[in-house]
Amino acid sequence: EPEVTQTPSHQVTQMGQEVILRCVPISNHLYFYWYRQILGQKVEFLVSFYNNEISEKSEIFDDQFSVERPDGSNFTLKIRSTKLEDSAMYFCASSELGQGAADTQYFGPGTRLTVL
Amino acid sequence: AQSVTQLDSQVPVFEEAPVELRCNYSSSVSVYLFWYVQYPNQGLQLLLKYLSGSTLVKGINGFEAEFNKSQTSFHLRKPSVHISDTAEYFCAVTRSGGSYIPTFGRGTSLIVHP
């Protein structure tokens, strides 16, 4: 069964450094998403992406963050100048149909980002 | 704005017993409702969703949920749980039109004891 994959599974970085989290969505999916989950807290939506553009973004997704689909398979989340509070699990998701909220999203296993 | 409240942070239950995980939401507009399960070291997996129509929604792994508009609830139930159902369960809500941005609850940890 096709699945969303994410690399690395765990990323440790120093405060102020840039990190890139990578995701490979399911191959025929067209809509991509990033979420984060700070330890012990709720899952939070960051951004959705379609046709090489951001569709929607939350208040969390400020200028520190950017997303990109650099090729036909990868979908990346870049965090510039990381802060301690960026430490979280970051989940990528993809969906096929683009029915917005009605879509079924398929989630990857997550990347745990630790900022020291 | 919308919000989701999962009333129980942890629900312990014995194997083969029934379980209900509670979810209440608030929203000024029509909503879609979702339940996700997260097994250890895995991403979220959709259990079921309510978009419209019948208020009783059946999902995977024998779970079902009932949408109650008057009580603004979407409780998740299973008549007989297994050890393998031990996981974190998240309720989520989105607007049914326009902006997609979902709001998740804090999660309920279901712990099934033998």
Side-chain angles (χ1 to χ4, degrees), chain A residues 34-53:
Chain A
W34 283 102
Y35 297 80
R36 78 173 184 189
Q37 184 181 27
I38 296 171
L39 187 63
Q41 299 189 25
K42 62 179 68 176
V43 176
E44 301 171 295
F45 169 82
L46 293 177
V47 66
S48 61
F49 189 87
Y50 167 71
N51 199 26
N52 284 320
E53 288 185 347

Side-chain angles (χ1 to χ4, degrees), chain B residues 10 31 39 45 47 50-51 60 62 79 89 103:
Chain B
Q10 202 172 82
V31 295
Y39 298 106
Q45 180 183 6
L47 275 178
Y50 172 78
L51 304 180
I60 63 171
Y89 291 80
T103 300

